[in-house]
Amino acid sequence: MSLTKSLRRILDDRKITVAQIARQSGVPAKTIYHWLSGQQPRKMEHLFRLCDALNISVEELYGRQRKNPAKNILPKEILLQELNAGVYEVILRPLKMTEGP
């Protein structure tokens, strides 16, 4: 999704006008209107300020959804079942031990 479509969707979903988000972020309304008409941002600082005001990441502003790393973590029970079923290969190797003080 492009910045134009994503920004328009975010503003519509939150029922925020360009004037309101311009005041909140400090990004000139004219700049935001340029983005909505398809121009690409020239200053990253403006993008960061807009994202801060909307409480989103730059990736989300461009329409990319955040990946939830917690989704990739298997519950302990499932992991144990898969280990026991031979889904994973477990390699045992000796560790180099250092003497303590």
Side-chain angles (χ1 to χ4, degrees), residues 43-55:
K43 295 183 180 179
M44 288 300 293
E45 180 60 34
H46 285 165
L47 280 178
F48 295 143
R49 284 197 265 164
L50 188 69
C51 288
D52 289 344
L54 293 169
N55 196 26

Side-chain angles (χ1 to χ4, degrees), residues 10-58:
I10 291 168
L11 294 178
D12 289 345
D13 288 350
R14 297 184 184 192
K15 296 177 179 32
I16 301 173
T17 66
V18 171
Q20 289 171 327
I21 197 62
R23 278 193 302 273
Q24 289 176 344
S25 66
V27 177
K30 184 176 180 179
T31 300
I32 298 171
Y33 279 117
H34 284 284
W35 296 348
L36 290 171
S37 69
Q39 291 184 12
Q40 291 301 309
R42 293 188 183 137
K43 295 183 180 179
M44 288 300 293
E45 180 60 34
H46 285 165
L47 280 178
F48 295 143
R49 284 197 265 164
L50 188 69
C51 288
D52 289 344
L54 293 169
N55 196 26
I56 60 173
S57 69
V58 173

Side-chain angles (χ1 to χ4, degrees), residues 75-87:
K76 183 179 177 182
E77 299 81 28
I78 294 174
L79 181 60
L80 287 175
Q81 287 173 357
E82 289 183 354
L83 280 172
N84 291 333
V87 175

Side-chain angles (χ1 to χ4, degrees), residues 52-76:
D52 289 344
L54 293 169
N55 196 26
I56 60 173
S57 69
V58 173
E59 287 180 329
E60 289 170 310
L61 181 61
Y62 273 86
R64 183 173 181 210
Q65 297 299 317
R66 282 187 176 173
K67 291 183 181 178
N68 188 353
K71 288 183 181 178
N72 297 332
I73 298 173
L74 293 175
K76 183 179 177 182

